[in-house]
Amino acid sequence: ANFTSLADPKAVGSGLRALTTLMHEAGHAAHFANIKQPSPLFGQERAPFSAALAEGQSMFLDALVQDSAWRAKYALNADGEPIPFDIIEEEIRSTYPFSVRTLRAMLSVPYFEKALYELPDEEVSAERIQSLADEIEIRIQGGLGPRPILSVPHIISDEASCYYHAYVLAEMCVHQTRAFFMERDGFIVDNPSVGPTLSKAYWEHGNSRSFLDLVKD
């Protein structure tokens, strides 16, 4: 499997976002490399493949970057020392209460696309589209967001338009899957049963089963 990321895990200062991207794309690679179906058509990323299923697998892996257990073991400095746990705890306590804002920002994109495609043709103009984006941000996020909706590249990309709702569904999938492992095994990081479980439950099916059925099972 091949995937790309601007991150270089060996480069000091590669950045949290770059590392998250690396893990995200690695999640896609692990998923598609483990599809076990009789035809390649079960493993292509176009419809009827579930975008929510695909993003759920990539986001499950990139969630490890924020996992305190993963950070305590693998986020090391140049001397091989882990981040002190009191710093990890401080970040969790100071940022977690506001994490719902990120989810609301994600939700605003599909709501904007829905409103845009329902807009009467005679109302479509650059000014109206801009004002519509602002209206959605205010309604969903409670105010104009730090990342304007119209800066999201998926909206104007032919293969990714009307796609962003998948990230919202995938976010729920990640939390549900992590809760499953914590309830069953008590831990996720370096758990040897995680890979085989994901492969059996999600990966090997490709697009032969629907996303919601897989999550329910």
Side-chain angles (χ1 to χ4, degrees), residues 27-118:
H28 280 308
H31 179 194
F32 280 85
N34 285 280
I35 293 174
K36 296 180 180 179
Q37 294 298 323
S39 167
L41 295 177
F42 288 93
Q44 50 81 36
E45 62 181 346
R46 302 282 183 173
F49 205 100
S50 168
L53 172 61
E55 297 304 334
Q57 309 319 300
S58 59
M59 290 168 65
F60 178 85
L61 194 60
D62 76 40
L64 288 176
V65 179
Q66 301 293 336
D67 188 302
S68 58
W70 187 90
R71 285 186 169 188
K73 183 170 183 178
Y74 292 107
L76 310 177
N77 64 17
D79 296 323
E81 301 168 333
I83 301 175
F85 191 78
D86 58 338
I87 294 179
I88 296 176
E89 181 182 16
E90 181 181 355
E91 184 197 18
I92 293 172
R93 293 186 181 279
S94 62
T95 62
Y96 184 77
F98 305 101
S99 57
V100 69
R101 292 181 178 273
T102 301
L103 184 61
R104 284 185 170 272
M106 293 167 64
L107 277 169
S108 67
V109 178
Y111 271 99
F112 166 72
E113 289 187 300
K114 180 178 184 294
L116 176 62
Y117 288 114
E118 290 177 348

Side-chain angles (χ1 to χ4, degrees), residues 60 64 67-70 173-191 193-194 197-198:
F60 178 85
L64 288 176
D67 188 302
S68 58
W70 187 90
C173 173
V174 169
H175 285 282
Q176 182 172 324
T177 303
R178 287 180 58 86
F180 166 81
F181 283 120
M182 294 302 294
E183 181 178 350
R184 189 190 72 177
D185 303 332
F187 71 110
I188 296 174
V189 177
D190 291 344
N191 182 345
S193 70
V194 169
T197 300
L198 291 175

Side-chain angles (χ1 to χ4, degrees), residues 8 19 42 61 77-78 92 122 124 141 152 180:
D8 180 355
L19 177 60
F42 288 93
L61 194 60
N77 64 17
I92 293 172
E122 60 271 17
V124 176
Q141 301 183 56
V152 177
F180 166 81

Side-chain angles (χ1 to χ4, degrees), residues 154-172:
H154 298 65
I155 296 172
I156 58 174
S157 175
D158 65 331
E159 75 274 8
S161 59
C162 297
Y163 184 103
Y164 218 82
H165 65 283
Y167 293 107
V168 182
L169 292 171
E171 182 74 11
M172 294 187 287

